[in-house]
Amino acid sequence: MKEEVRFYDRVEDGLLRFAVIIAKTDGKWVFCKHRERETLEIPGGHREPGERIIDTAERELREETGAIDYTMVPVCVYSVIRGDNGIGNDNAGGESFGMLYYADIKTFEEELHSEIEKIVLLEHLAENWTYPLIQPKLIEEAARRGYL
């Protein structure tokens, strides 16, 4: 079964397991290339125990892009439902929740200090997505809500 993505204005904070950040700099999309993959993805990751979801978003943005100076705003809550036991199916009932943010990055560190090999700045959206059934839908929803 393929992933189903849903959007919400809010859910109980304890349900939020992920933060994903759609980012741009100087009008270009900011994508990450993981060291172990050939595909591109938007920054994001798992929430640490006891961490506020905004802190997760800021930590992941810094770790994965090297962003130093940026502005970030919440867009909405999203969920992913999968029929198998893969990523996104770690909550009872198969629905996993995350918070979607938009960031405008002004400056970056010289060097990355994470599992990300490099950041890629593109005029247009990537074609070789790591999560092609999920992340393009997040961007579409952010655009629909007026953030892009």
Side-chain angles (χ1 to χ4, degrees):
M1 179 178 168
K2 71 178 192 171
E3 294 94 349
E4 178 184 348
V5 181
R6 295 181 181 171
F7 298 97
Y8 305 89
D9 289 329
R10 65 184 148 277
V11 296
E12 180 186 325
D13 180 76
L15 293 174
L16 297 170
R17 310 264 322 233
F18 305 93
V20 173
I21 309 95
I22 299 167
K24 286 189 150 187
T25 186
D26 292 328
K28 294 183 180 178
W29 299 97
V30 178
F31 288 95
C32 301
K33 188 207 169 286
H34 193 283
R35 293 184 193 284
E36 299 176 359
R37 297 189 273 273
E38 295 302 318
T39 53
L40 299 177
E41 55 203 68
I42 55 180
H46 288 83
R47 184 181 193 178
E48 300 289 332
E51 189 174 51
R52 295 182 316 152
I53 196 66
I54 183 66
D55 295 333
T56 303
E58 290 180 349
R59 176 179 51 77
E60 291 290 348
L61 186 67
R62 285 190 310 270
E63 287 176 1
E64 295 194 353
T65 69
I68 298 171
D69 182 19
Y70 56 88
T71 57
M72 184 165 37
V73 295
V75 174
C76 65
V77 173
Y78 72 95
S79 73
V80 176
I81 302 171
R82 289 185 62 156
D84 59 18
N85 291 324
I87 294 173
N89 195 22
D90 53 3
N91 283 347
E95 189 169 16
S96 183
F97 294 90
M99 188 72 196
L100 180 62
Y101 292 88
Y102 171 75
D104 182 26
I105 302 173
K106 307 285 188 259
T107 59
F108 297 88
E109 284 186 63
E110 299 277 324
E111 191 175 315
L112 295 176
H113 309 281
S114 73
E115 71 277 5
I116 301 302
E117 178 181 319
K118 64 182 177 180
I119 60 168
V120 178
L121 306 180
L122 299 175
E123 298 277 342
H124 303 284
L125 291 175
E127 293 180 14
N128 58 332
W129 294 92
T130 302
Y131 306 104
L133 300 177
I134 300 170
Q135 291 190 339
K137 291 179 181 176
L138 301 181
I139 290 174
E140 288 173 13
E141 183 67 12
R144 188 186 74 75
R145 290 176 180 245
Y147 288 90
L148 303 177

